[in-house]
Amino acid sequence: MFYHLTRSSAEDTLRLLLPRALGQGWRVMLRGTDRARLEALDLALWRVPEDGFLPHGMEGGPHDAVQPVLLGTGAIGNGAQALMLLDGAATEAAEAAPLERVWILFDGLDEAELARARGQWKALTGAGVKAQYWSEESGRWEKKAEAG
């Protein structure tokens, strides 16, 4: 699922999607490209929501294999059924196809991220991975395209 962010931040979108994934009983690998950015997300996920708790950990800890949500830059290390990609993090069709869900979040106001997401769409759908494109341009999330 490609999420074209134009109004919401990645953090807000994470807070929307991650509880739903955990509610499905899935473990999630949240893959980024910048360790400092992931550490900032780690802190943000501990602080908000104030009335909830989102269990997660940073890659490289002693309990990676059992983390419900694992933040990192490497391979899936927690037996995840779902993968969330931020900041241009990549996946291959062989990794994505067997998963329950893959989310690719990208900043719709950044031309480089748009180009990268278009390339990911072409590569994944070209390899036979089913995909959906979601946009929030209208103010709410709407499915704009589907392949496969």
Side-chain angles (χ1 to χ4, degrees), residues 16-28 82 84 101 103:
L16 173 73
L17 297 174
L18 288 173
R20 292 179 182 177
L22 295 177
Q24 291 289 323
W26 301 337
R27 288 180 192 234
V28 178
M84 187 171 289
R101 188 74 38 95
W103 297 274

Side-chain angles (χ1 to χ4, degrees), residues 51-76:
D51 62 342
F53 172 69
L54 186 66
H56 70 281
M58 286 293 297
E59 178 182 70
H63 305 290
D64 284 3
V66 297
Q67 290 293 344
V69 177
L70 183 63
L71 286 68
T73 59
I76 294 173

